[in-house]
Amino acid sequence: MRDLSTSSGAPRRRNPLTQLWLWVVVGLVAGILVGLLAPGFGIQLQPLGTLFVNVIKAIVAPVIFCAIVSGIASVSDLSQVGKVGLRALIYFFAVTGFLMILGLVAAEITRPGAGLNIDIASLDTSSLAQYTEHQVAGWDYVLEVVPTTLFSAFTEGNILSVLIVSLLFGIALKAVGDAGTGIARGIERFSKVVFKIVGWVLWLSPIGAFGALAYTVSKYSGAVLANLAMLILWFSVTALIVIVFLFGGITLALGLNPLKLVRYLREEVVIGLATVSGEAVLPGMLVKLERLGVDRSVVNVTLPAGYSFNLDGTALYMTFSILFMAQATGTHIGFGTLAGMVALLLILSKGSAGVPGGVLIVLASTMGGIVPVPVAALSLIVGVDRILSEGRTMVTVLGNAVGTLVVARWVGALDLQHARAVLDGRVPAPGSTASADAAELVTASAKSG
């Protein structure tokens, strides 16, 4: 683990105006004000948020590829990668399965759709075509995940496809021994270029947050929000409970202070919340978790994998929203059907990351079949999916951070003493996840590799 202390033994103070998270908050507040005071203008700002997210999605695939390949190349024994990967999958499936069940329990207790008495025939389903046309089932799911060419994984926007190619490439690179050394070093150098671009792009996030929030606040009328107020309220409360009690409890069990961890990751949390893009904070999370004391080989494999297999917010939302739609339309779902639904969603949800409308596509794939809720009911939540995505993103970002720490502790690759020192401020923590920090990480990793 690198020594993060300064020559004076005290962390350096940074100018608050250079903190990216602060500017994102400014953009977020400004966007809300514009949406409230000038909704007509706010609607026109949608391209700002969309452009930022599109740029982030374009750079995420190279980031994942470089991180995973570099992480595998840094281990001395390939069996260590298998050990990390297996334990990560066990944790991911356990937590997402638990959250799906929790979503059902929370929706049954709060009953946000009770009393709406929606007539399916009266619903406008014109907005569902883009989701119902891409429903996946059986072998179609496998075909969607496995790329048709080596490079198509990086152009089709499916993170799971990128993950598969990166793992295969990294393992093969390690398996060929000395013949792959030059390629590994080339990827390390390429990583510096990728992270430099990431640093530049992230400084556009305040503008992206401004445009996204201005559009969102302008779009949703009071009538729409009133009709779905209970759904928004109770899902938000459930998400908060997960963050405080589940993730907070796990962090305490690891021996770390959850409040200090959130403060340490505040930039990633704010950016993810404002832009509703978990992928936007992946590069920064890679940097910060390694600096927190997680071994590089663990964080570079576990965290990218989490963005396909540990979508905690999505897991919670899927079952919660399905039960909401069932309540709103008066559809009864038996216990056996609920159990089968959870099992199916547990598999299908793993490929939804990075796919536009991936969550709604998965929901459409389960409704009308194993789940007796008509697909037309999906139109009830399409209108406010952007608002509900705020809670999903927050849970997923923090869930992946906690999950990486758990796996690292499980395999003995977490320096707890160092982590406590960073969280306590006794050694300097990274400031902005901009180019200086990201490039420094990759440079140091290349030297140590």
Side-chain angles (χ1 to χ4, degrees):
M1 185 57 58
R2 297 189 304 281
D3 181 13
L4 300 182
S5 60
T6 61
S7 58
S8 63
R12 65 185 184 274
R13 293 185 178 276
R14 296 181 298 271
N15 185 344
L17 294 180
T18 65
Q19 298 298 294
L20 179 57
W21 71 269
L22 180 62
W23 289 108
V24 174
V25 171
V26 171
L28 188 152
V29 173
I32 293 175
L33 290 176
V34 168
L36 292 174
L37 302 177
F41 176 63
I43 286 287
Q44 300 176 26
L45 296 177
Q46 181 186 16
L48 292 179
T50 303
L51 180 63
F52 173 75
V53 173
N54 287 346
V55 173
I56 285 294
K57 288 181 177 179
I59 201 67
V60 160
V63 167
I64 291 176
F65 177 79
C66 292
I68 291 179
V69 173
S70 298
I72 294 175
S74 67
V75 301
S76 57
D77 186 358
L78 272 179
S79 63
Q80 174 68 12
V81 177
K83 181 181 179 182
V84 170
L86 177 61
R87 296 189 181 188
L89 287 177
I90 292 173
Y91 174 84
F92 293 162
F93 274 89
V95 172
T96 51
F98 172 78
L99 288 176
M100 285 185 176
I101 295 173
L102 180 62
L104 291 176
V105 173
E108 183 60 33
I109 292 174
T110 60
R111 298 191 61 80
L116 291 182
N117 301 319
I118 301 296
D119 180 7
I120 293 295
S122 67
L123 295 175
D124 180 7
T125 60
S126 59
S127 61
L128 300 182
Q130 58 182 314
Y131 310 114
T132 55
E133 289 176 358
H134 295 87
Q135 295 181 47
V136 292
W139 283 107
D140 291 337
Y141 176 74
V142 179
L143 295 176
E144 288 281 341
V145 170
V146 178
T148 54
T149 69
L150 181 65
F151 297 102
S152 66
F154 299 91
T155 60
E156 293 175 351
N158 191 315
I159 289 181
L160 189 52
S161 298
V162 177
L163 188 66
I164 292 172
V165 170
S166 302
L167 283 171
L168 288 175
F169 191 91
I171 293 172
L173 194 64
K174 190 69 177 178
V176 298
D178 293 339
T181 302
I183 298 176
R185 290 176 179 171
I187 292 175
E188 289 282 5
R189 294 186 175 95
F190 178 64
S191 297
K192 291 196 291 183
V193 176
V194 171
F195 274 80
K196 176 68 74 172
I197 296 173
V198 167
W200 291 339
V201 170
L202 284 180
W203 277 103
L204 297 176
S205 56
I207 299 175
F210 170 68
L213 266 295
Y215 170 75
T216 300
V217 175
S218 300
K219 178 181 178 182
Y220 299 111
S221 65
V224 173
L225 296 180
N227 288 337
L228 299 176
M230 290 298 100
L231 171 63
I232 297 171
L233 171 63
W234 288 119
F235 178 73
S236 300
V237 170
T238 305
L240 185 60
I241 289 174
V242 168
I243 292 172
V244 174
F245 293 100
L246 179 61
F247 297 155
I250 293 175
T251 304
L252 284 173
L254 290 173
L256 299 175
N257 187 311
L259 294 178
K260 292 179 179 178
L261 179 63
V262 172
R263 182 182 65 185
Y264 177 69
L265 297 173
R266 63 183 179 272
E267 185 171 287
E268 286 65 39
V269 171
V270 171
I271 292 175
L273 179 65
T275 61
V276 196
S277 173
E279 294 90 348
V281 302
L282 173 60
M285 295 277 279
L286 289 168
V287 173
K288 286 192 172 180
L289 288 175
E290 183 176 352
R291 287 190 173 187
L292 190 60
V294 180
D295 186 84
R296 179 186 175 216
S297 62
V298 175
V299 70
N300 279 19
V301 171
T302 305
L303 188 61
Y307 276 85
S308 275
F309 293 98
N310 194 41
L311 301 175
D312 294 336
T314 298
L316 182 70
Y317 172 74
M318 283 182 171
T319 51
F320 192 97
S321 62
I322 284 181
L323 213 53
F324 162 78
M325 289 182 283
Q327 294 165 1
T329 57
T331 305
H332 173 71
I333 305 179
F335 179 79
T337 300
L338 289 176
M341 178 188 74
V342 170
L344 180 61
L345 288 175
L346 196 57
I347 298 173
L348 294 182
S349 63
K350 303 310 177 188
S352 64
V355 179
V359 174
L360 297 176
I361 291 174
V362 172
L363 288 177
S365 300
T366 59
M367 294 167 64
I370 186 173
V371 180
V373 181
V375 178
L378 200 62
S379 60
L380 291 172
I381 64 173
V382 167
V384 293
D385 185 67
R386 173 62 170 74
I387 294 177
L388 296 170
S389 294
E390 306 275 355
R392 292 204 306 261
T393 303
M394 180 80 76
V395 172
T396 296
V397 167
L398 291 174
N400 277 319
V402 173
T404 301
L405 292 173
V406 169
V407 174
R409 180 69 185 274
W410 197 354
V411 299
L414 173 62
D415 187 339
L416 270 179
Q417 183 178 0
H418 177 86
R420 292 184 184 121
V422 172
L423 295 182
D424 290 341
R426 288 184 276 120
V427 295
S432 168
T433 52
S435 56
D437 287 316
E440 186 275 334
L441 170 69
V442 178
T443 302
S445 298
K447 291 179 180 178
S448 64

